[in-house]
């Protein structure tokens, strides 16, 4: 049987973590490789690295980080941020990432999904979607609109249509981020998660709003998500991944336990 | 020498790193002469069945691989590499496989919304052959899978392990004399994956001793 996945997300700028990771133990604060190793040992099922570097120089440093991660942890990890071409995808996959996530690059040029899937296989291509609640309209009948640039730019694109299009183009997975829920710690947008996970047959990762393990359990049970992305609740030491998985498991959701 | 075949279809760094972690010396190669000379061959792979076969053909690897297997030398396929061992692949049309392990490769057919394609994530593996690749693994241990197609063996006795996909048992690993295959990614399956790779090295040694005695 398949377990539901818990996936910590690390934001990296110029090769360093941007949100401080504060822990009780002797963690080398701000080093993405050491932090990935710690989450790996705690039982993370997968890790997401999001590169928010702007410069070409910083990009090179980031690829070095990816290479180090690949020889340190033996679980899958994906890389996103600034992926605009098949060559960008190739660079992170050759550096050792298992998957690559396309987001605004795919909204601007949807063919990158099919080209990536043809070149590397669907299982490598994650479609990242940033979604915001809006008034229902002709262009956005579901009331969930795809946005880019952190929600500052609306695309006039319905999230349900975009998810279906992404699946048809060959995406192997959708990482669904609610801009409204992000940072609230009030829980994932369950309505959005449920709508999208019923619309497609590829796995859906719920993202944005996780404040406690119960929220993740809800995303799995009520939202139909295959995985849950988490960030601050582990980065600030509030929960360990082991404890999160223990608590979710006690609610009857199947988790992979590593201890 | 243990040859790790580079089909040019993906990154081999993590496969290489995992073998190094269990103390194995493997050489990445796409040359037919290395395959012909290798004591054991590891065939990894991601991508589609047809592309995988085309890559093997383009590199002149079909004959050396078939001879390698026929001579009783150990051969391990990982993910697509395992699927290519079959007679037939039904991914984007029908494609002939290596025909080393009797069976065919068909698309996963989900029956409920709980089942997704690709089948992606950690699945409990049920061991069918306890003394081979899974000798150091507990029943029900989890491994990382990412696949949309699965290998249907002609003979159930070739299955070394299975997973439950919506009530249906599908192949997680195969083992038949000197031929081994893993549908999951051992290099992405944490300690359990490394344990299996350790056993792969043991089995390679055992097979090699049989060949040299033979």
């Amino acid at each position: 049987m398949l377990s539901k996945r818990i996936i910590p997300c690390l934001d990296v700028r110029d090769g360093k973590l941007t949100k401080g990771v504060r822990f009780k133990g002797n963690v080398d604060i701000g080093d993405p490789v050491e932090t990935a190793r710690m989450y790996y040992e705690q039982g993370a099922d997968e890790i997401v690295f999001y590169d928010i570097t702007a410069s070409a120089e910083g990009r090179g440093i980031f690829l070095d980080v990816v290479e180090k991660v690949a020889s340190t942890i033996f679980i899958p990890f994906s890389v996103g941020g600034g992926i605009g071409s098949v060559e960008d995808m190739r660079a992170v996959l050759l550096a050792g990432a298992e998957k690559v996530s396309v987001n605004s690059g795919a909204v601007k040029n949807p063919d990158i999904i099919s080209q990536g899937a043809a070149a590397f296989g669907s299982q490598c291509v994650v479609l990242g979607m940033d979604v915001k609640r809006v008034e229902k309209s002709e262009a956005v009948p579901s009331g969930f609109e795809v946005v880019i640039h952190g929600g500052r730019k609306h695309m006039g694109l319905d999230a349900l249509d975009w998810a279906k299009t992404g699946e048809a183009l060959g995406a192997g997975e959708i990482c669904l981020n609610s801009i409204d829920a992000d940072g609230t710690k009030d829980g994932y947008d369950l309505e959005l998660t449920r709508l999208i996970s019923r619309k497609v047959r590829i796995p859906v990762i719920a993202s944005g709003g996780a404040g406690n393990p119960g929220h993740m359990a809800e995303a799995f049970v009520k939202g139909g998500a295959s995985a849950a992305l988490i960030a601050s609740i582990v980065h600030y030491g509030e929960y360990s991944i082991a404890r999160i998985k223990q608590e979710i498991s006690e609610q009857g959701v199947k988790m992979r336990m590593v201890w | 020498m243990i040859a790790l075949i580079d089909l040019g279809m993906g990154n081999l760094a993590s496969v290489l790193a995992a073998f190094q972690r269990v103390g194995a010396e493997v050489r990445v190669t796409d040359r037919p002469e290395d395959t012909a000379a290798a004591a054991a061959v590891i065939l990894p792979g991601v991508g589609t069945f047809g592309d995988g076969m085309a890559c093997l053909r383009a590199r002149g690897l079909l004959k050396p691989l078939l001879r390698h297997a026929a001579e009783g030398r150990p051969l391990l396929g990982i993910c697509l590499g395992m699927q290519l061992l079959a007679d037939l692949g039904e991914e984007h049309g029908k494609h002939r496989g290596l025909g080393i392990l009797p069976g065919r490769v068909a698309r996963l057919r989900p029956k409920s919304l709980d089942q997704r394609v690709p089948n992606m994530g950690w699945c409990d593996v049920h061991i069918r052959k306890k003394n081979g690749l899974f000798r150091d693994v507990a029943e029900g241990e989890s491994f990382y899978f990412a696949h949309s197609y699965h290998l249907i063996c002609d003979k159930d006795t070739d299955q070394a392990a299975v997973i439950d996909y919506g009530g249906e048992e599908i192949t997680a690993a195969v083992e038949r004399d000197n031929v081994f295959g893993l549908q999951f990614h051992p290099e992405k399956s944490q300690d359990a994956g490394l344990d299996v790779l350790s056993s792969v090295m043991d089995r390679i040694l055992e097979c090699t001793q049989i060949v040299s005695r033979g």
Side-chain angles (χ1 to χ4, degrees):
Chain A
M1 232 185 117
L2 187 66
S3 294
K4 301 288 188 182
R5 287 171 280 156
I6 299 297
I7 308 178
C9 176
L10 302 175
D11 287 347
V12 180
R13 177 187 283 153
D14 297 324
K16 297 255 190 304
L17 289 180
T18 55
K19 289 176 191 162
V21 175
R22 291 202 291 268
F23 269 97
K24 287 169 192 151
N26 291 322
V27 175
D28 188 356
I29 291 168
D31 178 6
V33 180
E34 282 310 309
T35 306
R37 187 208 301 269
M38 181 180 61
Y39 291 148
Y40 168 69
E41 286 166 357
Q42 287 181 5
D45 296 307
E46 213 169 302
I47 294 178
V48 167
F49 293 90
Y50 202 75
D51 182 27
I52 55 172
T53 304
S55 67
E57 190 191 356
R59 191 74 186 170
I61 299 169
F62 179 69
L63 289 175
D64 291 343
V65 168
V66 174
E67 276 182 17
K68 279 192 199 120
V69 170
S71 59
T72 305
I73 64 170
F74 296 99
I75 53 170
F77 65 94
S78 69
V79 165
I83 304 290
S85 68
V86 170
E87 284 320 301
D88 291 341
M89 297 170 94
R90 192 186 307 276
V92 295
L93 293 172
L94 285 181
E98 170 87 358
K99 308 176 189 179
V100 57
S101 174
V102 288
N103 192 318
S104 50
V107 175
K108 291 172 192 158
N109 171 27
D111 290 341
I112 189 178
I113 300 172
S114 46
Q115 289 163 359
F120 314 113
S122 284
Q123 81 292 336
C124 282
V125 183
V126 183
L127 175 60
M129 293 173 54
D130 286 333
V131 177
K132 205 166 163 49
R133 284 174 179 259
V134 293
E135 289 280 323
K136 290 182 184 177
S137 65
E138 206 173 311
V140 188
S142 72
F144 289 103
E145 186 179 4
V146 175
V147 295
I148 61 173
H149 301 318
R152 292 192 303 278
K153 189 164 180 192
H154 289 246
M155 302 307 291
L157 185 59
D158 193 288
L160 269 72
D161 291 341
W162 181 228
K164 201 73 197 160
T165 303
E167 177 180 42
L169 288 171
E173 197 165 38
I174 286 175
C175 185
L176 179 64
N177 185 45
S178 163
I179 293 286
D180 306 298
D182 199 13
T184 64
K185 292 192 156 196
D186 288 339
Y188 298 93
D189 188 328
L190 294 179
E191 186 189 355
L192 171 65
T193 309
R194 188 167 48 238
L195 278 174
I196 300 286
S197 60
R198 283 189 182 163
K199 189 80 177 176
V200 297
R201 301 312 303 266
I202 55 179
V204 173
I205 305 167
S207 165
N212 60 53
H215 291 150
M216 296 165 223
E218 277 179 352
F220 300 138
V221 176
K222 296 183 183 160
S226 297
L229 206 71
I230 55 175
S232 53
I233 82 159
V234 283
H235 295 340
Y236 298 112
E238 213 175 318
Y239 285 92
S240 70
I241 289 174
R243 185 175 151 209
I244 288 171
K245 291 179 98 171
Q246 182 63 39
E247 288 192 19
I248 296 174
S249 160
E250 281 164 8
Q251 297 188 37
V253 176
K254 187 160 168 46
M255 293 272 113
R256 177 185 71 113
M257 302 301 202
V258 296
W259 53 92
Chain B
M1 187 253 301
I2 298 174
L4 177 63
I5 305 288
D6 183 4
L7 290 179
M9 290 171 72
N11 167 50
L12 296 184
S14 23
V15 180
L16 193 59
F19 272 102
Q20 283 166 347
R21 181 60 70 96
V22 301
E25 280 184 38
V26 300
R27 185 197 293 175
V28 177
T29 178
D30 66 350
R31 288 150 40 112
E33 51 271 40
D34 287 342
T35 306
V41 170
I42 297 152
L43 182 62
V46 294
T48 66
F49 195 98
D51 286 350
M53 287 307 292
C55 286
L56 285 177
R57 202 171 293 119
R59 286 165 172 73
L61 291 170
L62 289 181
K63 272 190 186 161
L65 275 176
L66 291 173
R67 186 174 305 144
H68 178 92
E71 286 172 0
R73 285 181 283 155
L75 170 63
L76 170 73
I78 299 175
C79 200
L80 176 68
M82 173 189 87
Q83 297 184 352
L84 296 179
L85 301 175
D87 299 315
L88 183 73
E90 299 172 0
E91 184 169 4
H92 305 304
K94 293 198 172 177
H95 303 273
R96 260 181 73 180
L98 286 165
I100 291 172
L101 197 89
R104 67 189 173 91
V105 175
R107 191 167 170 83
L108 290 171
R109 300 207 180 281
K111 294 181 198 78
S112 79
L113 267 180
D114 290 341
Q115 295 165 263
R116 301 274 156 169
V117 181
N119 178 41
M120 197 179 286
W122 298 80
C123 293
D124 300 351
V125 159
H126 305 294
I127 301 169
R128 292 289 177 264
K129 296 193 181 192
K130 293 196 190 302
N131 298 319
L133 300 183
F134 295 89
R135 55 179 65 159
D136 293 327
V137 172
E139 163 61 22
E141 187 61 83
S142 292
F143 293 85
Y144 181 77
F145 290 76
H147 62 123
S148 300
Y149 289 79
H150 67 121
L151 169 60
I152 303 168
C153 292
D154 285 357
K155 293 186 182 125
D156 290 350
T157 51
D158 288 340
Q159 288 181 322
V162 298
I163 54 172
D164 176 347
Y165 183 73
E168 189 188 351
E169 276 192 353
I170 65 174
T171 307
V174 293
E175 183 164 353
R176 178 190 170 119
D177 303 324
N178 58 318
V179 178
F180 310 94
L182 305 171
Q183 177 61 65
F184 55 82
H185 289 272
E187 78 281 11
K188 297 285 180 186
S189 296
Q190 206 150 351
D191 293 350
L194 297 176
D195 287 344
V196 167
L197 288 185
S198 271
S199 298
V200 164
M201 296 313 298
D202 293 345
R203 294 292 289 124
I204 284 175
L205 201 62
E206 290 162 16
C207 289
T208 309
Q209 284 162 352
I210 291 170
V211 171
S212 59
R213 272 205 307 272

